[in-house]
């Protein structure tokens, strides 16, 4: 990330951050808005990026922009990418007369076009529906992201997660092996696309095993702050009763569970650091933060994750910017000083003590 100048010409103090970006289809435009606001802060320096699915796309697009032109380059590249997504044909085309906010309340699963597609996708596999294996996301990624540039540098650590469909294990693609196929694999929902083949192995969406995966990136970074941008709602007010609502909620819970498991593991490590059982300099060198808008995103139907109409994407972008602005006002000063979320509170009662006791007995 290029050094920025303050209004008086002096380079401001740079606070190093790593970004962990969740997946969520078109809702990734919310993350775009969050990133756009964060990149305006001249005191922040992005040194690491990890993402899954739509988060993986935001990751590599932002990385390319940062390497080409610093923060402004990142903002420019992200806008170019999401504008390209908005130009693709999609279900949102049917909603063009509505504003972005109005579209956020539309349940696409109640439209005839969606119902027809849903019926086909439940009875035919992607290999039958898409025998030519056409992925519309390949073109904008290929045109906008120089993967060779990302692979060749070491100052910005980049990682995306995909799931091996045979072994059920997550694979973390980093600077050494990241590619357009790795990103497409990270966003490969098995009901929509044929598996992405990499080195003879089929890969599906990374959300099944890490949404986003952070531990792998942490091992290669110095002391910094991890900013997690969350999309999938944790809480749904309405009781899921219809087949579609149940299916959507099961997917949300499945993709959130990998996230909570990883945070819980990190919380256990931090608890051991607090108890003096792990070296604080080595294992406690990170501060953690989360930017989310669950109260707003939980009002939006899950089916809108495949709504790519420009008004809807711009609405999510604005929501992301506003959310990040509010977060920066409340917690911006915490960056570099302390965590604004307490991961140890994710542990169930007694688990930290149990882990500490086992660790002590084996030491």
């Amino acid at each position: 990330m290029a050094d920025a100048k303050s209004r008086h010409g002096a380079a401001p103090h740079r606070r190093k951050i790593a970004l962990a970006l969740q997946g969520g289809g078109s809702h990734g435009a919310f993350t775009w808005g969050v990133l756009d606001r964060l990149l305006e802060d001249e005191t922040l320096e992005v040194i690491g990026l990890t993402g899954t699915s739509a988060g993986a796309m935001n990751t590599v697009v932002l990385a390319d922009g940062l390497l080409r032109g610093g923060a402004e380059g990142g903002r420019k590249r992200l806008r170019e990418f999401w504008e390209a997504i908005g130009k693709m044909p999609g279900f949102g085309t049917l909603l063009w007369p509505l504003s972005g906010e109005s579209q956020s309340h539309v349940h696409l699963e109640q439209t005839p076009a969606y119902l027809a597609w849903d019926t086909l996708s439940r009875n035919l596999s992607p290999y039958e529906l898409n025998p030519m294996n056409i992925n519309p996301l390949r073109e904008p990624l290929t045109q906008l992201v120089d993967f060779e540039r990302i692979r060749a540098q070491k100052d910005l650590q980049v990682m995306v997660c995909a799931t091996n469909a045979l072994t059920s294990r997550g694979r973390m693609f980093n600077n050494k092996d990241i590619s357009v196929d790795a990103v497409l694999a990270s966003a490969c929902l098995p009901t929509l696309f044929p598996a992405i083949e990499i080195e003879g192995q089929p890969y599906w969406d990374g959300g099944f095993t890490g949404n986003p995966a952070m531990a792998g990136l942490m091992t290669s970074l110095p002391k910094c702050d991890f900013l997690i941008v969350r999309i999938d709602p944790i809480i749904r007010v309405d009781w899921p009763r219809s087949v579609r609502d149940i299916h959507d909620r099961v997917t949300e819970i499945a993709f959130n569970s990998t996230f909570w498991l990883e945070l819980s593991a990190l919380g256990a490590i931090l608890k051991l650091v607090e108890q003096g059982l792990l070296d604080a300099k080595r294992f406690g060198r990170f501060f953690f933060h989360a930017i989310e808008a669950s109260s707003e995103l939980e009002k939006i139907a899950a089916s809108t994750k495949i709504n790519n109409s420009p008004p809807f994407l711009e609405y999510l972008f604005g929501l992301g910017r506003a959310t990040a602005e509010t977060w920066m006002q409340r917690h911006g000063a915490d960056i570099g000083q302390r965590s604004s979320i307490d991961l140890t509170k994710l542990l169930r009662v007694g688990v930290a003590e149990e882990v500490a006791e086992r660790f002590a007995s084996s030491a």
Side-chain angles (χ1 to χ4, degrees), residues 39-99:
L39 291 170
E40 286 184 345
D41 192 316
E42 295 181 343
T43 71
L44 300 181
E45 179 184 4
V46 181
I47 63 171
L49 289 159
T50 179
T52 295
S53 198
M57 296 185 188
N58 278 322
T59 288
V60 296
V61 171
L62 174 55
D64 181 89
L66 292 173
L67 294 172
R68 290 176 185 269
E72 286 305 310
R75 296 178 69 196
K76 179 176 181 292
R77 258 306 184 251
L78 284 167
R79 174 161 287 281
E80 289 173 340
F81 173 75
W82 284 101
E83 286 182 348
I85 296 298
K87 292 177 181 177
M88 295 178 179
F91 292 105
T93 305
L94 305 173
L95 307 176
W96 64 267
L98 301 177
S99 68

Side-chain angles (χ1 to χ4, degrees), residues 30 230-231 233 236 293-300 316 319:
F30 168 82
R230 293 198 56 260
I231 295 179
R236 286 283 182 183
S294 293
S295 60
E296 295 297 325
L297 291 176
E298 70 189 32
K299 301 174 185 176
I300 301 177
L316 291 173
L319 178 61

Side-chain angles (χ1 to χ4, degrees), residues 217-273:
L217 181 64
M218 292 171 65
T219 60
S220 62
L221 292 178
K223 180 178 180 180
C224 66
D225 290 63
F226 260 79
L227 272 67
I228 305 163
V229 183
R230 293 198 56 260
I231 295 179
D232 271 335
I234 300 172
I235 299 172
R236 286 283 182 183
V237 177
D238 296 329
W239 193 327
R241 296 181 183 275
S242 70
V243 172
R244 169 52 58 184
D245 287 344
I246 293 171
H247 176 272
D248 290 342
R249 190 53 179 158
V250 167
T251 301
E252 284 181 347
I253 291 173
F255 279 9
N256 269 318
S257 64
T258 60
F259 170 73
W260 290 120
L261 283 173
E262 184 154 10
L263 285 193
S264 295
L266 293 174
I269 292 174
L270 293 177
K271 194 68 176 180
L272 294 175
V273 171

Side-chain angles (χ1 to χ4, degrees), residues 2 5 26 31-32 46-47 53 55 66 79 104 125 141 149 198 205 213 216 227 237 248 252 258-259 345 347 363:
K5 298 290 185 180
S26 294
T31 301
W32 164 34
V46 181
I47 63 171
S53 198
L66 292 173
R79 174 161 287 281
S104 70
S125 81
L141 286 171
R149 183 193 298 267
I198 301 176
D205 196 290
L227 272 67
V237 177
D248 290 342
E252 284 181 347
T258 60
F259 170 73
K345 290 184 177 180
L347 303 176

Side-chain angles (χ1 to χ4, degrees), residues 136-151:
L137 298 170
R138 182 178 294 273
E139 183 176 350
L141 286 171
T142 302
Q143 290 181 345
L144 294 173
V145 180
D146 185 344
F147 287 94
E148 185 175 349
R149 183 193 298 267
I150 297 176
R151 290 192 295 267

Side-chain angles (χ1 to χ4, degrees), residues 14 29 91 145 169 178 195 213 216 279 289 301 307 338 340 342 348:
R14 309 284 281 171
F91 292 105
V145 180
R169 295 177 65 86
I178 200 163
D279 177 35
H289 314 274
N307 178 4
R338 64 190 67 83
S340 59
D342 186 355
R348 75 178 197 277

